Amino acid sequence: MMRKKIIAGNWKMNKTPKEATEFCKLMKDKVASSEVDVVFCVPFVDLYPALEELKGAGIGVGAENMHFEDSGAYTGEISPLMLKEMGVSYVVLGHSERRQYFNETNDMVNKKVKKALEVGITPIMCCGETLEQREAGITIEWIRIQIKCGLAGLTAEEVSKVVIAYEPIWAIGTGKTATSEQAQEVCKAVRQVVGEVYGETTAQQVRIQYGGSVNGKNAAELFAMPDIDGGLVGGASLKEEFQEIVHYQK
Ligand code: 13P
């Protein structure tokens, strides 16, 4: 089973709409690739400029969050239907920063993943352990729970379309990348739990990214691991360096 690699930038709360347009203009040819799927996940107000600038460039545009209802009295939230109509094709769900600062739970993440699939947006569902959990030796158990809860109630066919991002919290924004062995161990465990619940075919189809201080220098080694199907990139996706990650094979 050859899974196409998927390399996604997560801009987090960076770049104004003007800066988004400029950056997309600068980068679109540099990150064009037929070998890997390339995605820019951007703040809500940058979606329109990014979609406009990246038209026809073969680069996917994603949101960084969304609500799980179609519409309603949810002041300040963004609906999946709004994203879909704009042409957004991916959405990051359950990022550790959302779990940590905005109290997102596995249950909410599960509702969002279901909804994204229902409207036809590819969810990039995040999981990851804290340093404390790693040191306590409970990383794999914790990740298994996040995956089982996040994907609960989906069909095997739906799960095969989900992108899962393993992002150890201690490696995010710290410059402290997980070793490729550490990242592989957990990504393999993610594939294994998907296989236990949804079957081996689904497990072989689902794409699993690594995230956490991925840069132009370490991408090739990480992405060469058998269960790592690309990366979710924060800091380095804001800079021209992102092209080195996309073209990690060169
Ligand atoms: P950094 O690449 O800045 O460590 O961020 C990783 C991340 O959280 C991507 O979602």
Side-chain angles (χ1 to χ4, degrees):
M1 169 87 211
M2 262 307 279
R3 292 178 295 269
K4 193 172 186 189
K5 295 256 195 290
I6 174 165
I7 298 173
N10 171 12
W11 290 4
K12 307 192 179 182
M13 197 172 73
N14 293 291
K15 297 194 192 293
T16 66
K18 256 189 213 158
E19 289 167 345
T21 298
E22 283 163 17
F23 188 71
C24 290
K25 187 177 277 179
L26 171 74
M27 295 299 287
K28 61 183 171 189
D29 293 335
K30 301 186 199 284
V31 299
S33 170
S34 51
E35 284 151 55
V36 305
D37 287 334
V38 181
V39 184
F40 286 6
C41 297
V42 307
F44 290 126
V45 296
D46 294 342
L47 287 169
Y48 184 75
L51 284 159
E52 284 292 301
E53 191 56 46
L54 297 175
K55 248 180 211 158
I59 297 165
V61 174
E64 299 176 11
N65 179 34
M66 65 172 210
H67 199 269
F68 48 78
E69 296 287 350
D70 288 342
S71 63
Y74 300 101
T75 303
E77 289 293 316
I78 296 290
S79 132
L81 298 180
M82 297 171 188
L83 299 178
K84 182 67 187 174
E85 189 186 285
M86 288 183 82
V88 168
S89 38
Y90 294 87
V91 61
V92 177
L93 296 174
H95 191 281
S96 62
E97 288 150 16
R98 300 244 20 117
R99 296 178 191 256
Q100 185 181 352
Y101 305 127
F102 304 98
N103 303 318
E104 279 196 23
T105 62
N106 282 335
D107 180 53
M108 285 159 72
V109 174
N110 177 239
K111 286 190 176 124
K112 292 178 180 195
V113 170
K114 275 188 188 148
K115 194 64 187 188
L117 290 164
E118 185 189 310
V119 304
I121 297 175
T122 300
I124 301 177
M125 186 185 87
C126 303
C127 63
E129 83 287 3
T130 61
L131 185 58
E132 241 180 355
Q133 289 170 324
R134 174 156 287 266
E135 285 172 349
I138 58 170
T139 297
I140 302 289
E141 278 165 81
W142 176 256
I143 298 293
R144 286 175 59 88
I145 292 167
Q146 286 188 318
I147 298 299
K148 280 191 185 177
C149 295
L151 300 178
L154 301 184
T155 65
E157 202 204 327
E158 286 173 322
V159 172
S160 70
K161 295 180 189 142
V162 176
V163 176
I164 298 173
Y166 165 57
E167 301 203 304
I169 295 169
W170 48 271
I172 295 179
T174 57
K176 235 183 115 185
T177 318
T179 65
S180 44
E181 288 76 22
Q182 283 173 323
Q184 163 59 22
E185 183 196 13
V186 181
C187 290
K188 184 180 173 183
V190 168
R191 199 175 304 288
Q192 191 174 340
V193 67
V194 169
E196 284 167 23
V197 183
Y198 300 96
E200 195 46 35
T201 308
T202 306
Q204 288 308 318
Q205 287 168 330
V206 74
R207 293 190 290 180
I208 305 171
Q209 297 173 312
Y210 166 77
S213 299
V214 174
N215 59 41
K217 296 203 168 58
N218 59 30
E221 190 186 327
L222 286 160
F223 301 168
M225 302 309 279
D227 288 294
I228 302 181
D229 306 314
L232 186 57
V233 184
S237 77
L238 299 167
K239 305 182 281 189
E240 282 190 67
E241 180 183 358
F242 190 54
Q243 66 183 303
E244 295 167 33
I245 301 173
V246 169
H247 303 300
Y248 69 96
Q249 282 164 310
K250 306 220 165 82

